[in-house]
Amino acid sequence: MMADAATRLARSQKISSKVLHLFQKRVSIAQETFQERVRTAWQEYLTELQSRPAAPWNIWSDWWSYSVDFAQRSVILMDTLRQRGNNYLEHLAQDQPPLLHFDYETVLDARSFERPVNYALVRIVPPEGVTVDPKRRPYMIVDPRAGHGPGIGGFKDDSQVGVALREGHPVYFVIFFREPEPGQTLLDVCAAEQQFVRKVRELHPDSPKPALVGNCQGGWAAMMLAASDPDDTGPVVINGAPMSYWGGAWQEGASDNPMRYAGGMLGGAWLASFAADLGNGVFDGAYLVENFENLNPANTFWDKYYHVFANADTEPPRFLEFERWWGGFYLMNREEIEWITNNLFVGNKIWSGETRAADGEAFDLREIKSPIILFASMGDNITPPQQAFNWVSDVYGSTEEIKARGQVIVGLLHRDIGHLGIFVSGKVARKEHAQIVSVLKSIEVLPPGLYGMAITESQGSDGQVEYEVEFHEHRLEEISARINRLGRVDEKPFQAVAKVSEFNRRAYEILAQPLIQAASSDFSARLMREFHPLRMQRWAVSDRNPWLWWLKPASQAVKAQRQASDTDDLPHRTEKLVSEFISASLDYYRGMRDAASEAAFFQTYGSMFSLSLADKRDTEEQTAAKAVDPRQLPFVQEALASVAEGGYAEAFARVAALLVRPGDIPLSRVAMRQEIAKDYADLLPPKLPMEEWRRIRGEQEIIVRYEGEKALATLAHLLADEGERERLLTLLERLTADERVRGSRPTAEQLAMLERIRSELGTKPAPRQRIAALKKA
């Protein structure tokens, strides 16, 4: 007992020491960043003063001109906020329709389903000058239902919808309405989306399976849909989707992922239930939007407004366009937000198989048969790369399992774009999203494995920007170690959060929930929503407010007599200096707040977790022990046991694995393979479903990787028929003579292997006694 207590105390002290070190480091970084920003702004201010000294007789005229400009810009800013409020009220009066840049037609309205939900499937009408081919792969885009309304995936011409339309693909969009249907759950929503997919397939019977594109929360919704209906869904593209909610960057440097600590610091999922009970069974999405805004107080309270103020003549239209979407707050049922918080935000169960569909079957992400494309950003502080990628190692465990299941997973990582920029940035749409659309067919023919997608930008001979795409195969273990540089020990305390959350939830349900529900009503819920700060700041500065009757005519008068002054004069430079100081101060506050929150989280739950589990071995040590010999993995043993089983398809896949060239795979090489496949269709294996072919290729790669000599020695046994061996040899000979293949310059190792394959296939198949001996060896 004394030894156990000493061990627990030592572990607690170790965690406390690590947390204190990181807290001091983060505080130091916040202070240094603040000081550097202020110092740089002050030095630039002094430099400009020295380079352009103001004449004494001009100082008063500059300040007078500036004061007029300042007053006019103030009126324009206030009027912009008034227009924002009017837009909000107008949108509300229209029942908040989707803010899509494109026209659309309703295909299915799930409010009329047997289990009604507030979702609908719409078809995007191609704009004038754009033609779509109904036989091309249709796209179904799922927007996030995380407080805002739908439309972010088609917010403007350069968007996910726009790039897919310009490539000639039919595009469908999953929208949702403001009010949830009574009693609807997320499982009902998933079932409705299954019907949407089947309807798209029905409308395009001659097309490949529809591609699913999920943004943020829509990403894990798309993954749940693909896992529950793998036979009807095509490739899945998830952008900024938090699949592993416990993941984050617990490392030296600034605290970049504060949102993952919110559940623990608020005591778990009970608060979502409390908010829904106050809303008489309806959860207000404005709370989620408020959480997003609190992440960046500098932008929320100063930067975005100052940007409009500083550019009052040009910026208001862009500001109003975005705020129209940002201020569209939607609602959820209590059952929906409780499912999300218990299973995802706090429970992190989506990848573990603990969440179940409406039919009782568990959501097993390994059931997804089509390729998965993951798009994340290093600059995303809402969904960091760890949350976007860690689920892969949790679900599959090893590279071998990915290959054995015939899965293709492609990761695309942006260096600095923020969370919203992944969906709304025109530059990201023209580059990353456009390239994903253009290479999706090529991704389907990649051999099973985990790939990184790299996009290189260059300027063509005509001066236009051109993009070159390459795929580089990685080991899952390598990628997991790279994005989790200090391991995943920081995820352990979140298990304690889940336990505390369950305790608090039950306590709330017993002690407080009956009273809250009894005191709530539709009237009190509507009143509370109406006076939520995010709503109130909009309708309070609108034409609804009689005290602002003067604002519109004043703005019109100002615009008619606008007197913009020189923005490089002393007063304007002083204004920019003050603005930079305010912004830096708010960022400094954020850095200190996030550092304190992180330290408090790990001091509380880290110590609690280590004390309760001190007698267990370290998870990483257990994982390392299990992964010492990949040959012992069940799917590897199954593949090796079938080394002498199969036919022409298995033999062809094995030869491809024996001759594979490691390294980068340019998109041009993938396209060349597809072109060659068309020319040699009579010599290739019979056409199989893509998922079946990827599974065969994955198994043969495992056999070649772990039993290369046996793979070669048993190759002829797969082709017992002389005609099939002759057919494969003919294919190899013709490919060797093909200029397109010869131009790729095979290595000496590939040439030597080719000769060995010819030698093996030129002999009769080995007797079964030899095969049995090889398998036994």
Side-chain angles (χ1 to χ4, degrees):
M1 294 293 292
M2 293 295 292
D4 289 343
T7 301
R8 292 174 181 173
L9 180 61
R11 290 197 175 190
S12 177
Q13 290 174 339
K14 183 178 180 180
I15 290 177
S16 297
S17 176
K18 177 67 174 176
V19 169
L20 180 60
H21 170 72
L22 285 177
F23 175 71
Q24 293 172 337
K25 186 72 174 178
R26 302 204 197 296
V27 167
S28 176
I29 290 175
Q31 292 174 338
E32 291 173 1
T33 303
F34 171 73
Q35 293 170 357
E36 180 62 25
R37 284 185 63 180
V38 172
R39 185 186 305 112
T40 301
W42 179 248
Q43 289 175 347
E44 290 177 354
Y45 179 72
L46 293 179
T47 301
E48 290 178 357
L49 284 181
Q50 293 171 359
S51 63
R52 292 186 57 184
W57 52 86
N58 288 334
I59 292 179
W60 289 111
S61 62
D62 286 347
W63 278 102
W64 171 256
S65 177
Y66 171 77
S67 64
V68 174
D69 179 55
F70 183 92
Q72 291 182 335
R73 285 187 291 148
S74 298
V75 172
I76 293 175
L77 173 61
M78 284 295 296
D79 189 61
T80 301
L81 297 181
R82 181 191 64 84
Q83 293 178 60
R84 180 183 71 169
N86 289 345
N87 290 344
Y88 164 75
L89 294 174
E90 178 188 358
H91 194 213
L92 204 62
Q94 297 170 352
D95 204 22
Q96 295 181 255
L99 295 177
L100 286 165
H101 175 72
F102 305 86
D103 294 333
Y104 59 88
E105 301 170 344
T106 301
V107 178
L108 286 177
D109 190 335
R111 292 177 294 183
S112 62
F113 287 3
E114 182 179 353
R115 288 286 298 171
V117 296
N118 66 330
Y119 278 68
L121 176 70
V122 302
R123 183 185 73 87
I124 302 298
V125 178
E128 186 178 354
V130 175
T131 303
V132 299
D133 184 353
K135 292 186 177 181
R136 299 202 70 179
R137 182 193 304 279
Y139 276 69
M140 192 173 101
I141 299 175
V142 184
D143 251 8
R145 186 165 166 237
H148 300 104
I152 200 69
F155 194 58
K156 48 189 173 182
D157 189 54
D158 283 327
S159 61
Q160 295 161 354
V161 171
V163 297
L165 286 174
R166 287 196 290 271
E167 287 289 326
H169 295 274
V171 178
Y172 295 83
F173 209 93
V174 176
I175 66 169
F176 44 89
F177 303 97
R178 179 177 180 271
E179 301 280 350
E181 292 295 304
Q184 80 174 44
T185 67
L186 283 184
L187 299 183
D188 296 330
V189 172
C190 185
E193 290 173 339
Q194 290 178 19
Q195 296 188 52
F196 293 167
V197 172
R198 297 188 188 111
K199 183 63 177 180
V200 172
R201 291 208 69 188
E202 177 186 324
L203 294 173
H204 300 272
D206 300 324
S207 301
K209 295 177 182 179
L212 300 182
V213 180
N215 298 320
C216 188
Q217 176 267 351
W220 54 255
M223 291 290 283
M224 289 169 57
L225 172 59
S228 60
D229 196 9
D231 293 328
D232 285 322
T233 54
V236 183
V237 183
I238 55 177
N239 307 302
M243 297 292 295
S244 296
Y245 280 84
W246 294 353
W250 197 49
Q251 57 197 25
E252 301 289 340
S255 180
D256 295 327
N257 318 127
M259 186 170 277
R260 69 172 181 151
Y261 307 123
M265 299 311 296
L266 296 173
W270 76 273
L271 196 59
S273 300
F274 174 62
D277 289 334
L278 288 176
N280 200 32
V282 175
F283 180 83
D284 188 358
Y287 291 121
L288 299 178
V289 180
E290 191 174 33
N291 286 339
F292 297 147
E293 292 205 339
N294 289 338
L295 283 175
N296 191 348
N299 182 71
T300 298
F301 299 115
W302 182 259
D303 289 348
K304 70 177 182 180
Y305 298 116
Y306 177 73
H307 190 59
V308 176
F309 178 73
N311 304 276
D313 298 316
T314 58
E315 186 61 19
R318 189 211 62 82
F319 174 83
L320 291 172
E321 180 187 26
F322 180 78
E323 285 290 311
R324 188 175 177 88
W325 174 78
W326 188 255
F329 309 115
Y330 280 55
L331 309 177
M332 293 183 184
N333 281 337
R334 178 196 297 110
E335 295 83 0
E336 293 179 290
I337 192 63
E338 287 181 345
W339 193 95
I340 291 173
T341 53
N342 290 324
N343 290 287
L344 303 177
F345 292 164
V346 176
N348 196 37
K349 298 176 182 178
I350 190 171
W351 55 265
S352 64
E354 297 178 56
T355 54
R356 297 186 177 275
D359 59 3
E361 291 291 327
F363 288 107
D364 187 350
L365 301 184
R366 293 171 297 184
E367 292 296 320
I368 299 176
K369 299 176 182 178
S370 299
I372 301 171
I373 297 90
L374 314 175
F375 181 23
S377 173
M378 296 290 290
D380 189 344
N381 67 340
I382 293 177
T383 304
Q386 293 84 357
Q387 292 188 12
F389 291 113
N390 278 350
W391 69 271
V392 180
S393 56
D394 293 330
V395 168
Y396 291 98
S398 68
T399 308
E400 283 69 25
E401 185 172 1
I402 294 176
K403 290 181 176 292
R405 292 182 177 275
Q407 184 53 276
V408 173
I409 300 176
V410 177
L412 176 60
L413 189 63
H414 198 283
R415 295 192 62 84
D416 52 29
I417 196 72
H419 185 71
L420 283 176
I422 294 176
F423 321 121
V424 303
S425 169
K427 184 176 181 181
V428 170
R430 290 189 297 272
K431 183 178 180 182
E432 280 81 4
H433 292 304
Q435 297 311 304
I436 289 174
V437 170
S438 65
V439 305
L440 207 54
K441 187 175 181 180
S442 299
I443 288 175
E444 283 193 294
V445 300
L446 287 173
L450 180 64
Y451 296 86
M453 177 176 168
I455 304 175
T456 304
E457 186 175 324
S458 61
Q459 191 171 27
S461 56
D462 58 354
Q464 298 295 317
V465 175
E466 295 181 351
Y467 299 105
E468 180 67 28
V469 177
E470 285 189 345
F471 302 100
H472 187 79
E473 187 169 6
H474 296 279
R475 300 283 299 172
L476 176 58
E477 299 77 5
E478 165 206 343
I479 293 297
S480 182
R482 184 184 301 176
I483 66 174
N484 299 283
R485 286 182 286 175
L486 298 182
R488 298 178 64 179
V489 66
D490 61 310
E491 295 184 21
K492 293 181 180 181
F494 289 90
Q495 298 181 28
V497 173
K499 294 178 181 178
V500 171
S501 174
E502 180 65 18
F503 174 83
N504 288 342
R505 183 180 65 83
R506 292 185 179 276
Y508 168 72
E509 289 175 350
I510 295 171
L511 301 176
Q513 191 173 55
L515 298 176
I516 301 298
Q517 291 180 347
S520 299
S521 65
D522 285 341
F523 175 76
S524 65
R526 287 197 302 270
L527 192 66
M528 188 173 65
R529 287 196 289 269
E530 191 72 10
F531 281 91
H532 188 285
L534 293 185
R535 288 189 178 88
M536 187 175 176
Q537 66 180 247
R538 284 167 169 79
W539 60 255
V541 185
S542 71
D543 289 343
R544 177 187 286 186
N545 187 343
W547 294 98
L548 297 179
W549 62 268
W550 56 271
L551 189 52
K552 181 178 180 180
S555 176
Q556 292 173 341
V558 163
K559 291 176 181 177
Q561 304 178 47
R562 181 77 172 100
Q563 297 180 26
S565 60
D566 183 6
T567 58
D568 286 332
D569 59 16
L570 175 62
H572 280 88
R573 283 179 285 182
T574 305
E575 175 193 295
K576 294 174 184 176
L577 175 67
V578 173
S579 174
E580 179 65 12
F581 177 78
I582 295 174
S583 178
S585 299
L586 289 170
D587 278 340
Y588 176 57
Y589 154 74
R590 179 182 69 170
M592 297 292 289
R593 178 200 65 185
D594 293 346
S597 174
E598 181 184 59
F601 176 88
F602 283 108
Q603 287 284 23
T604 303
Y605 295 101
S607 298
M608 186 186 304
F609 185 83
S610 64
L611 290 173
S612 64
L613 300 179
D615 57 335
K616 295 186 178 181
R617 290 187 300 172
D618 185 83
T619 303
E620 291 182 346
E621 294 175 354
Q622 292 179 355
T623 303
K626 289 180 182 178
V628 168
D629 186 4
R631 294 170 180 267
Q632 301 306 314
L633 297 172
F635 36 83
V636 174
Q637 291 182 333
E638 290 176 10
L640 296 180
S642 62
V643 65
E645 300 172 4
Y648 191 80
E650 285 75 12
F652 177 82
R654 186 174 299 181
V655 168
L658 287 166
L659 293 174
V660 71
R661 183 198 318 219
D664 295 339
I665 307 177
L667 181 62
S668 57
R669 190 190 303 174
V670 179
M672 183 187 71
R673 290 175 180 175
Q674 294 175 282
E675 181 184 338
I676 292 174
K678 293 179 182 178
D679 295 342
Y680 298 102
D682 58 323
L683 297 174
L684 294 175
K687 191 169 184 180
L688 296 171
M690 289 301 301
E691 53 267 21
E692 177 65 13
W693 168 246
R694 285 193 295 267
R695 184 193 62 78
I696 292 173
R697 177 63 188 267
E699 288 182 351
Q700 296 306 315
E701 285 195 14
I702 291 175
I703 291 173
V704 169
R705 177 178 177 83
Y706 291 103
E707 295 291 353
E709 290 302 318
K710 290 183 183 179
L712 195 60
T714 57
L715 182 59
H717 193 77
L718 300 179
L719 301 171
D721 182 75
E722 287 280 350
E724 288 191 340
R725 279 188 286 146
E726 186 63 31
R727 179 183 172 191
L728 187 54
L729 283 171
T730 302
L731 176 62
L732 290 175
E733 293 299 330
R734 290 180 60 180
L735 286 173
T736 304
D738 195 309
E739 289 293 333
R740 293 169 294 181
V741 178
R742 292 177 64 185
S744 61
R745 298 180 182 179
T747 64
E749 292 79 5
Q750 286 178 309
L751 292 174
M753 178 57 68
L754 186 59
E755 287 302 317
R756 294 188 63 186
I757 291 171
R758 286 170 175 155
S759 176
E760 287 291 335
L761 292 181
T763 63
K764 292 183 179 181
R768 293 193 175 274
Q769 293 85 352
R770 183 185 170 201
I771 299 300
L774 283 169
K775 292 173 69 175
K776 185 176 180 181

